[in-house]
Amino acid sequence: MTRTALVTGANRGIGLEFVRQLLARGDRVIAACRQPGKATALNALGGEHPGRLHVLPLDVASEKSRSELVRELPLVLGEDECIDLLLNNAGVLHSGERFGQLRQELLEDSLRTNALGPLLLAQVIAPFLRDGPRGTENTAEAIKSLPDTRLVDRLRSALGTTHFPVIANLSSQLGSIAGVHRFGTPGYAISKAAQNMATAQLAQALAARGIVALALHPGWVQTDMGGERAPDAPVDVVAGMLLVIDAATPAHAGGFFDWRGEPLPW
């Protein structure tokens, strides 16, 4: 079944790879980024998949930009189409942070972009999200009884062809309070911890509609942000996260998982 996804930060890195793989499997994609006119690789995908990719401007940290995106959505979606997947991928990492030299404006920018923006975008997008399938309560209860919460390898047979609408917030293990062992990238870490709480709050807010909100850690990936020394390729990480997303049910709402589906500590 063809589904519709909205991907933020879609012009490069993990976001661009999400767009590639979603289009390759036949989905429709609304790709959002701050400067669509400069998104050469993203716009090229539109030519390869005519009619299935729409590129829209979005600065996730800007209330005005979020509102303008919402005004455009009815024109893109039409009367009957809904969004099945919101991928909050856009984010910022300010390098060079040192204790004793932290700057308030950079910390606030990290919070606006990495935590507040995705939460507020999900809020304004919520009316456009598809509701979850009816009659799936027993499936969710059965999955809760499994011996662990590994998604990718153990849940697909239990799910069958049922797919729930998902909000996937791309987080980081650096946002895990339990995982703090050194001082480093405080703006990024603090904002991702806040984003994890926002994900848990979203899961509760949307539970009655059968919409699943997840926090996903993509790992250290070979992107502009991750650098060339990173061990994981975007194509592998995105493929893994899509498996996790496709396998997700209300039993996993509010969870924090890596790209292979393993649960992470808060």
Side-chain angles (χ1 to χ4, degrees), residues 101-153:
Q101 300 178 350
L102 297 177
R103 296 165 54 190
Q104 179 172 327
E105 63 268 27
L106 294 184
L107 293 171
E108 290 176 346
D109 184 59
S110 295
L111 281 168
R112 280 194 301 269
T113 304
N114 296 344
L116 302 181
L119 173 62
L120 293 171
L121 180 63
Q123 178 176 259
V124 296
I125 293 297
F128 298 94
L129 292 172
R130 190 181 308 280
D131 288 342
R134 296 180 180 274
T136 55
E137 294 81 1
N138 292 335
T139 300
E141 290 299 321
I143 291 173
K144 284 181 183 178
S145 68
L146 290 175
D148 59 48
T149 55
R150 175 73 183 264
L151 295 179
V152 176
D153 293 334

Side-chain angles (χ1 to χ4, degrees), residues 52-224:
R52 291 199 290 115
L53 175 63
H54 296 273
V55 182
L56 297 178
L58 174 67
D59 177 353
V60 72
S62 164
E63 182 177 5
K64 179 181 178 181
S65 184
R66 294 191 299 266
S67 297
E68 289 173 350
L69 176 73
V70 168
R71 283 195 290 271
E72 291 288 332
L73 281 181
L75 302 177
V76 173
L77 292 172
E79 293 184 3
D80 301 323
E81 189 175 0
C82 295
I83 294 171
D84 302 279
L85 171 61
L86 169 60
L87 275 161
N88 274 316
N89 166 74
V92 63
L93 169 62
H94 294 293
S95 60
E97 293 177 307
R98 299 288 186 272
F99 187 70
Q101 300 178 350
L102 297 177
R103 296 165 54 190
Q104 179 172 327
E105 63 268 27
L106 294 184
L107 293 171
E108 290 176 346
D109 184 59
S110 295
L111 281 168
R112 280 194 301 269
T113 304
N114 296 344
L116 302 181
L119 173 62
L120 293 171
L121 180 63
Q123 178 176 259
V124 296
I125 293 297
F128 298 94
L129 292 172
R130 190 181 308 280
D131 288 342
R134 296 180 180 274
T136 55
E137 294 81 1
N138 292 335
T139 300
E141 290 299 321
I143 291 173
K144 284 181 183 178
S145 68
L146 290 175
D148 59 48
T149 55
R150 175 73 183 264
L151 295 179
V152 176
D153 293 334
R154 296 179 174 91
L155 297 187
R156 292 191 63 79
S157 61
L159 284 175
T161 58
T162 300
H163 290 285
F164 288 83
V166 171
I167 296 175
N169 290 333
L170 263 65
S171 183
S172 170
Q173 66 180 4
L174 295 176
S176 168
I177 295 172
V180 176
H181 302 295
R182 65 176 182 87
F183 184 91
T185 59
Y188 189 75
I190 291 167
S191 63
K192 290 301 184 179
Q195 187 198 55
N196 285 351
M197 174 58 81
T199 302
Q201 292 283 326
L202 274 174
Q204 295 297 321
L206 298 171
R209 293 180 55 191
I211 298 170
V212 180
L214 298 172
L216 297 178
H217 165 56
W220 187 10
V221 189
Q222 298 162 6
T223 63
D224 290 344

